[in-house]
Every structure is written in structure tokens, then in C-alpha cells.
Amino acid sequence: MDCLFCKIIKGEIPSTKLYEDELVYAFRDIDPQAPTHFLIVPKEHISSADDLDENHKELIGHIFLVAKKLCAEEGLTKGYRIVNNCKEDGGQTVDHLHFHVLGGRSLNWPPG
Ligand code: 5GP
Ligand code: ZN
């Protein structure tokens, strides 16, 4: 399958890795929108949040705990934002489920 993030997970495309375990891979976004901006992706290819089912409950909980751990390591004591863009109207451009984690500045709300 021709998937950018599957290639990054396999190391076929280089990335700045922050964390890896049996379930997930975390790496810095190539086009950061905040002083800290990284992505957490499942190693399993799941196209979007709309493709999740009951079997993924533990995975999604795990992703949020990995986010918390990495944000602590990044020194984001004032907070951060976890974002998932889902499919076309959600602004998803890479069709492998990923959670953006942004911090290091005050972030605007609402999104455009
Ligand atoms: P989306 O728009 O799908 O929610 O987010 C995709 C994200 O992947 C974007 O923030 C984009 O900058 C990032 N991205 C796209 N290609 C690459 C790449 O080759 N390497 C890394 N590290 N990030 C990428
Ligand atoms: Zn993939």
C-alpha cells in the first residue's frame, strides 16, 4: 500500500522520531504550526478516525497517554492541543490516522 505514514513508520522515509512502541509511532511534523508540533500515529494502517471500531478503544486511550508523556518531556506545562482531522471536510490530507499535538504558544480557537 502506498501510504506516506506507513513508510515513515517502517523507516523508508526519514522522520524525527520522538517515541515508538508496539502500538504507535510519534514524530515531529515537517511543517510545524507551533513551537512543538508532532504527530502520533498507530502502527496499524487505519485510514481515518471514521474507520475506528470497538477493537481500537485501547489504542486510542494509549495514544492520549503517549501524548501526555511526550508533552511533559517537551516541557508543555501550560497546556497543549490534540487534534484529529477526519476526512475531507475535517481537513485530513494524509489518509493514515494521526493525532496532531501542538503546544509552546497560546493557540487560537475556533479553527477556521
Ligand atoms: P492532516 O492535514 O492530514 O491532518 O495532517 C498531515 C500532517 O502531516 C501535516 O501537518 C503535514 O505537515 C504532515 N506531513 C506531511 N508529510 C510529511 C512528511 O513527509 N514528514 C512529516 N514529518 N510530516 C509530514
Ligand atoms: Zn498507512
Side-chain angles (χ1 to χ4, degrees), residues 13-94:
I13 292 174
S15 66
T16 305
K17 179 172 93 174
L18 294 183
Y19 177 81
E20 178 177 19
D21 63 24
E22 68 281 1
L23 289 178
V24 302
Y25 187 87
F27 57 105
R28 293 202 190 278
D29 197 290
I30 203 167
D31 182 23
Q33 301 301 311
T36 290
H37 184 181
F38 59 87
L39 304 173
I40 306 177
V41 304
K43 286 191 167 172
E44 173 190 353
H45 181 89
I46 301 166
S47 294
S48 79
D50 203 38
D51 297 287
L52 291 167
D53 62 38
E54 293 287 322
N55 297 318
H56 298 118
K57 283 178 171 177
E58 186 176 335
L59 169 68
I60 299 307
H62 181 64
I63 286 172
F64 273 70
L65 292 178
V66 168
K68 173 186 166 179
K69 172 182 129 66
L70 293 178
C71 286
E73 288 177 13
E74 292 283 307
L76 302 180
T77 56
K78 292 174 74 180
Y80 49 87
R81 185 172 294 168
I82 301 171
V83 175
N84 171 253
N85 297 326
C86 181
K87 297 170 58 176
E88 189 178 351
D89 276 2
Q92 184 175 1
T93 61
V94 179

Side-chain angles (χ1 to χ4, degrees), residues 3 5-6 45 96:
C3 170
F5 288 172
C6 281
H45 181 89
H96 180 129

